[in-house]
Structure formats: structure tokens, C-alpha cells
Amino acid sequence: MIGFAARRLLQAMIVMLVVALLAFTMFRFVGDPINQMVGIETSLEEREALRERLGLNDPIPVQFLRFITQAAQFDFGTSYQFRQPVSELFAKRIPATLELSFASALFALVVGIPMGIYAGLNRESAISKLFLSVSLIGISLPTFFIGILLIFLFSVTLQWLPSFGRGEVVQVGSWWTTGFLTLSGLKALILPSITLGLYQMTLIMRLIRAEMLEVIRTDYIKFARARGLPDRLVNFRHALKNTLVPVITITGLQLGAIIAFATITETVFQWPGMGLMFLQAVQNVDIPIMSAYLLLTAFLFVAINFIVDILYFFIDPRLRVGRP
Amino acid sequence: MPYVSNEEAKAAVQDRAGIPPAPSRLARIVDSDMFHSFLRSKVTVVAACGTLILFLLAFLAPWVAPHNPFDLASISILDARVPPVWMEYSDPRFLLGTDDQGRDILSAIFYGMRISLIVGFCSVAAAATIGITLGLVAGYMGGRVDAVIMRIADVQLTFPAILIALLIDGVAAGIFGSIDREVFAFYILIVSLALSFWVQYARTVRGSTMVEKNKEYVQAARVIGIPSVTIMARHILPNVMGPVMVIATINLALAIVTEATLSFLGVGMPPTQPSLGTLIAIGNDFLYSGEWWIAIFPGLALALLVLNVNLLGDWLRDALNPKLR
């Protein structure tokens, strides 16, 4: 177990190092950092002095080492467009993205699991077939177009829900802001989280359906029915429990995808999160924000992958056999 | 003796020996397993017809579109924001209405679909080329080369493709500057899509190459001194192409969606050469003022295209995968 975890940790660290090298290359070589920081009227001597002070004349390996040390302390330099430290900008926007991701993951699980169970247990019913066709359409519609359709239906035509922003937010603690505590905040959360979670919902539904179909054919389920246990007990206590292992893995891995696709949803709904900021940085070539976003998401993905690997080890006893 | 071609001679010999002539290529296709499984699935037949019609409309856009939305002489700002024909204040010339500059939406969709499809095909071809090459080299060489290539693939697999494409777009914009960005948009888009999607091809090809390289025909080729490059390209490559075709079909839908997303986000095709994603982005600005048709119709066209290609890809995967039969 410890050997397995250590090996995975080593792999994760190598991945992070490679990503850091990429981020550093972007940061250092795409455009001239000095040109972005000073005005046109700055003289050559002043530029040279600034270059020297920032250590841009040091050997590249020294600069890379400094970049990693600073990044590990959440110092990603100063944004070209906002003239503020990148870490402060991110700190302000992380709560919005995490709340949106959480709400959409919740939506995907709460809606997807019951639909999957139903479609798995009643394979031939018309509603199951409807679920499947709807999920096929859901997979074919691009995320941003789902968002546009929802805005058109619920904001423009029916005027039930807001089409942009987070609504009113409440400050919790020193830097966290939450939209969960106000009515307008909750209303603003509905459309973006459905947009973001729809793909994951269809994925979970199809996964649970397939697993259920597989499990109800097994001998122990037949035996449980033969013993005369009530259907409810067999379906939920015996069958469902064993379908959840892959669901946990997929949910964990999809958490990373949710955070990445938040970029698109945040743009459609003008949601003030990290993704929207990243996209504006891409449009305005704000390299410090881009490299910081790359490092942050890479860290999130690697951490999630690592945790899922370790969790899998605990959930599925079969994995523990035959491994050093 | 009169001249007799090879075919005629063969036919004459077969005739005399009572062997039926070999079936033509078309007959072989019609009689194949795949064609039977194709006809059995009604959904697939419909999807194939739908895909064919959409492809034809897209590639024949200059001939089938009622207007040329990019001919500045033929569009008039007076025709701007005309609703579809079944609504009030519509104009019978514009079946699905017009956008803010008076361009016919239906024609813009045909032309936009053409750009979407061209970007889709080119990026799939580019991704497949990169992936197949690296996969062949990794599988055939093995050792350190293999380790390096596959580690890069692993790192990249950690990230969703759309993020990688966005990053490459941003970096390219930083290198080229914003003016050249419009000129190079098409190429930047293809490169960023290709670099986001190559991993799957590389992994598949590497796997099959490692099996093929130990077979006798490869060893024989090596013994008679054929160079490694020729062995990879002429001997191994044709034998590992099967799964690549399936991945390419499934990835075409994915590439079209990703391209549309990038264009919608403003880092893909510029408004001067709009793809379906760019058209939706343009229409999105008018959604709130009630001109819904500018965004919704291109979106529906995109969804229809992706759905049809997806259905075809699913069928192809099942038909070529003997395990699922």
C-alpha cells in the first residue's frame, strides 16, 4: 500500500514538474515581460535596471528554480492587464468557481443516479428509452449551446431566472464569498450549474444503467430474490451498492473536467470565476494569469487523480491482491 | 496471335474451368458483414443519410446557398435582423431570417458548416499524423524513446483537450500579435486541435505496433536489411490502421464541437471567416433583444451535424469491434 502510494506520488510530482517547466517557458519566452510592465517612455537604462532587479539576466536554470519556489508560495507575478498580483486576483475568484462546480456535481449526482437506477431496472419501459435518447442529445449538444438555450428559455422568454452574474453574495470568513445564503444567489446558480453538470449527469446515468443491467444478472442477486427478500432491499442494498464503485471513480475524475469546462459556462453566464478570468487572459495575452491557471488546474487534476487512485484501493479489495 | 489483356486471359481461363468470376468491388461491399450490420440499424442509415446531406450542403455551399453572405455587394444593412419567414415583418427572400448585417442566416449556416467541417477534417488528419508517427516510433523503437513519448502523452492526458487548445491559442496570440492572429486563425486552430487530440492515436498505434513488430514478416524485412523507417511506413503502418479509422470518426465530432467552442469563446475563427461557433457567438449578443434566430439556427445546425456524425461513429465502433457482436 505504501509502495503503491509512494509510486503514485512520485508520478504526480514528475507531472507537476513538467507542467511547471511549460508554465515557466510561457512566462519567460512568450513576449517580453519587461515590455509588458513598463510604459513606452521608460528609458533603456531603466529597463535594463528592472531586468537586472527581476533577475531576468540570471542563467535559465536559476530563473526556473526561482519560478518554482515562488509558485509554491502562491507568488505568480503581476497581471499585465490588471496590474495586480495574480494570486490576489485568483483568491477573489476561486470561491465562485468552486461553488459552481460543487453545485453542478451535486446536480449531476442527484438527478443522474435515480435516472440511471430507473433505466437499469426497467430496461424496456418507454421512460427509460426517453432517458437514453435525451442523454444522446445531451451529449451531442455543445456545453455553450445548452447554456444559450437555457438563457433563451428561462431568462429571456419566461424571465424566471437571471442570465448572468452570481446575484447577491455574502462574505464568509476573511476572503470566501458565498452565493448559497441569499435567494438571488441561489437563483443565479441554477442555470449555470445545470449547463455545466448536464454532460456529467448523462454520463453517470448511462454508467449506472449499464452497471445495474450487469449486476442484476449475477447469481447473488438471483439468490437474494429466491430467498424472498423484498425488491426494494435487493435493488438498493444489494445491487446499487455494487454499482457505485465505478461511479465514485468517474465522479472524481469528472470533477477535474467540471472545473475545466467551467471556463465555457462562466463565459456564457458572465460568472465571475477563475475560468472567465482565464479566458479574458487568453484573449488579452495576459501570460502570468495563463501560466498561473495552468499550474493551479494541473495541481487540482493531479491531486484529484491521486486521491481517486488511493480511494479505489480502499473501495475495491480486489486491487489490493497481487500488488507490492 | 491477337493481343489479349491479362483480364481477358484470366476470364477465359476461369470460363473454361467453370470458376465464377471474382465479384466486383461494389458487390463485395454490398455482400460484406459491415454492410449488413449497417442496413440492420435503422438509426445508422438515417444518420448516414443525414451526414451525407449536411456534407453536401456544406461543400456545395456556393452553389446551393440562396445568397452569398460574404459578397458585400449583395448584402444590405436595410435587410438587417429580419425574422424567419413564419414570423411577422419577415421577408420571403430570407427563409431563416438575417443577422445584424443583413446576411441570410441559412446561407451563413451552409458556409459556416463548410468552415467547421474543413477545420474538423484538417485537425483530425493532423492529429492522426502526429499520433500515428509518434506511436509507430514509440512502439517500434521501445526503450528510452518510448518512455519519453508515452510520459508526455500521460501528462497531456491529465488535461481536458479544450484547456490545451485554449492555452495553445493564447500562446500563439502572444507570439503572432493580434493583427496576424486573424490571418493565421485557421492554422492556429488546426495546430491547437491537433496537439490536443494526438494522444489517443499514439497510444493505440503504439499498442498494435508492439504486437506487429514481433511477427515474422517484420523480422524477415529486418533480416534482408530494409531500413527501419521503411519497415515502419510500408510494412507495419497498413496493419495498424484499422482502429485508427474508428478513432478518427469519433474524434471528428469531438473536433467539430471543440472548434465551435473555441470560436464561440472568441479565440477560434474570426467573424470575417465565421464557422458555426462564430455565428453562434455573433448571435449571442442579440439573444436578449429578442432576435433569437441569429444564434439558435446555427446552434441547431451544429447539434444536428454532431449528432449524425456521433451516431455513425458509434455504429462504426460497434461494427469493427468483434468483441461486442
Side-chain angles (χ1 to χ4, degrees):
Chain A
M1 164 71 204
I2 292 173
F4 174 73
R7 213 168 36 228
R8 281 297 145 98
L9 199 63
L10 189 73
Q11 277 175 8
M13 274 159 67
I14 293 173
V15 170
M16 277 316 289
L17 260 178
V18 173
V19 173
L21 189 63
L22 273 176
F24 169 73
T25 318
M26 262 169 59
F27 185 74
R28 182 66 189 77
F29 297 107
V30 177
D32 183 6
I34 296 291
N35 270 346
Q36 300 280 351
M37 284 179 208
V38 298
I40 304 169
E41 65 277 5
T42 317
S43 70
L44 272 178
E45 291 77 41
E46 282 174 289
R47 280 168 195 255
E48 204 42 54
L50 185 62
R51 196 177 284 275
E52 190 62 42
R53 192 155 50 84
L54 290 174
L56 292 177
N57 289 337
D58 293 345
I60 297 295
V62 176
Q63 288 189 41
F64 179 52
L65 211 64
R66 192 184 309 126
F67 178 81
I68 298 182
T69 340
Q70 286 175 345
Q73 297 160 8
F74 299 107
D75 176 5
F76 301 107
T78 311
S79 154
Y80 295 160
Q81 34 170 359
F82 299 107
R83 313 262 159 202
Q84 281 175 29
V86 173
S87 48
E88 273 177 35
L89 289 168
F90 270 101
K92 246 184 270 171
R93 285 158 187 263
I94 282 177
T97 297
L98 287 188
E99 281 191 356
L100 175 62
S101 309
F102 175 73
S104 32
L106 199 68
F107 161 76
L109 288 173
V110 167
V111 180
I113 293 181
M115 276 171 81
I117 295 172
Y118 182 85
L121 292 177
N122 309 290
R123 190 179 185 179
E124 297 299 323
S125 91
I127 301 179
S128 306
K129 290 195 173 135
L130 183 76
F131 283 172
L132 278 186
S133 346
V134 169
S135 80
L136 187 68
I137 295 170
I139 286 177
S140 294
L141 282 178
T143 314
F144 69 96
F145 190 57
I146 293 172
I148 290 178
L149 284 179
L150 287 177
I151 289 181
F152 177 60
L153 199 62
F154 292 103
S155 307
V156 179
T157 313
L158 297 170
Q159 305 206 320
W160 286 353
L161 297 165
S163 62
F164 64 90
R166 275 183 92 187
E168 254 178 274
V169 290
V170 179
Q171 180 110 13
V172 180
S174 55
W175 58 281
W176 190 276
T177 54
T178 180
F180 285 141
L181 298 175
T182 61
L183 186 64
S184 70
L186 286 174
K187 272 170 94 177
L189 203 56
I190 295 176
L191 292 185
S193 39
I194 292 179
T195 308
L196 187 52
L198 199 65
Y199 179 78
Q200 274 71 28
M201 187 207 91
T202 51
L203 198 70
I204 289 173
M205 187 201 107
R206 285 171 162 251
L207 194 68
I208 295 227
R209 174 182 170 273
E211 288 286 322
M212 274 300 232
L213 288 177
E214 194 107 320
V215 168
I216 29 185
R217 274 200 304 238
T218 55
D219 287 342
Y220 77 91
I221 294 292
K222 283 185 199 153
F223 182 62
R225 286 198 205 284
R227 269 161 68 202
L229 292 178
D231 275 353
R232 177 177 294 269
L233 201 65
V234 175
N235 289 343
F236 289 92
R237 285 289 285 282
H238 291 71
L240 182 62
K241 217 170 148 189
N242 281 290
T243 63
L244 287 181
V245 179
V247 174
I248 291 170
T249 329
I250 294 290
T251 314
L253 294 178
Q254 288 295 316
L255 219 60
I258 283 188
I259 290 169
F261 278 92
T263 316
I264 299 158
T265 311
E266 285 177 9
T267 313
V268 175
F269 290 93
Q270 293 297 305
W271 188 264
M274 293 196 298
L276 186 60
M277 185 167 72
F278 170 64
L279 193 80
Q280 285 164 350
V282 169
Q283 284 163 348
N284 299 323
V285 200
D286 194 340
I287 300 289
I289 290 188
M290 280 163 65
S291 65
Y293 185 81
L294 176 66
L295 277 176
L296 274 181
T297 43
F299 180 74
L300 272 175
F301 289 152
V302 168
I304 290 170
N305 275 345
F306 180 69
I307 293 169
V308 167
D309 275 347
I310 301 292
L311 264 188
Y312 218 52
F313 205 81
F314 280 109
I315 296 168
D316 195 342
R318 280 170 298 184
L319 271 184
R320 278 175 239 163
V321 185
R323 286 214 191 222
Chain B
M1 191 170 164
Y3 173 74
V4 183
S5 76
N6 271 344
E7 278 78 33
E8 281 169 320
K10 218 162 123 190
V13 170
Q14 280 176 342
D15 212 27
R16 205 170 300 161
I19 304 167
S24 71
R25 183 164 287 185
L26 183 72
R28 270 206 311 252
I29 290 175
V30 170
D31 201 39
S32 69
D33 274 4
M34 271 190 74
F35 195 73
H36 279 294
S37 106
F38 175 74
L39 285 184
R40 234 194 358 249
S41 157
K42 282 199 191 83
V43 180
T44 312
V45 176
V46 173
C49 295
T51 312
L52 194 68
I53 292 171
L54 289 174
F55 277 23
L56 282 179
L57 287 179
F59 287 109
L60 301 177
W63 295 279
V64 293
H67 301 266
N68 180 357
F70 305 108
D71 179 12
L72 291 177
S74 77
I75 61 171
S76 159
I77 199 82
L78 292 175
D79 293 330
R81 306 196 206 174
V82 172
V85 281
W86 56 87
M87 286 170 67
E88 260 187 292
Y89 311 114
S90 63
D91 186 325
R93 283 180 301 156
F94 306 115
L95 190 63
L96 299 180
T98 61
D99 70 358
D100 58 317
Q101 292 169 38
R103 294 187 291 211
D104 177 40
I105 298 279
L106 185 66
S107 313
I109 287 176
F110 289 170
Y111 278 87
M113 199 142 67
R114 185 160 73 151
I115 294 181
S116 290
L117 280 174
I118 292 174
V119 173
F121 278 121
C122 289
S123 57
V124 164
T129 313
I130 301 174
I132 291 170
T133 314
L134 290 179
L136 270 176
V137 171
Y140 190 75
M141 300 286 185
R144 206 165 284 170
V145 183
D146 179 37
V148 170
I149 294 177
M150 283 302 121
R151 270 307 81 84
I152 297 174
D154 283 348
V155 172
Q156 196 174 336
L157 220 55
T158 328
F159 295 93
I162 184 100
L163 266 192
I164 297 166
L166 268 174
L167 271 172
I168 296 172
D169 255 336
V171 171
I175 294 170
F176 289 122
S178 55
I179 303 155
D180 293 338
R181 194 179 187 174
E182 196 151 306
V183 182
F184 292 118
F186 177 74
Y187 302 101
I188 295 176
L189 204 51
I190 287 172
V191 169
S192 60
L193 287 172
L195 290 181
S196 329
F197 287 115
W198 65 272
V199 175
Q200 226 181 336
Y201 300 95
R203 292 192 142 203
T204 314
V205 170
R206 171 180 175 265
S208 336
T209 305
M210 284 167 71
V211 176
E212 293 295 323
K213 81 169 175 189
N214 292 323
K215 291 196 177 161
E216 275 172 1
Y217 72 93
V218 176
Q219 287 173 349
R222 218 182 291 173
V223 166
I224 58 174
I226 294 174
S228 297
V229 179
T230 319
I231 295 181
M232 281 191 257
R234 297 285 295 278
H235 300 242
I236 298 181
L237 183 61
N239 289 307
V240 298
M241 280 304 275
V244 170
M245 296 318 291
V246 179
I247 300 178
T249 318
I250 293 170
N251 268 2
L252 178 64
L254 206 59
I256 293 173
V257 168
T258 312
E259 184 277 330
T261 308
L262 289 173
S263 295
F264 174 77
L265 295 176
V267 290
M269 296 304 289
T272 45
Q273 305 155 265
S275 71
L276 288 175
T278 324
L279 291 176
I280 300 170
I282 296 171
N284 194 30
D285 297 337
F286 299 96
L287 201 61
Y288 302 97
S289 48
E291 280 108 6
W292 52 271
W293 56 90
I294 308 178
I296 301 293
F297 286 130
L300 290 179
L302 175 66
L304 209 60
L305 181 65
V306 174
L307 183 66
N308 278 321
V309 177
N310 258 340
L311 286 172
L312 268 188
D314 279 355
W315 164 75
L316 196 64
R317 186 184 53 199
D318 295 349
L320 287 182
N321 190 347
K323 266 186 271 174
L324 290 173
R325 278 215 193 127

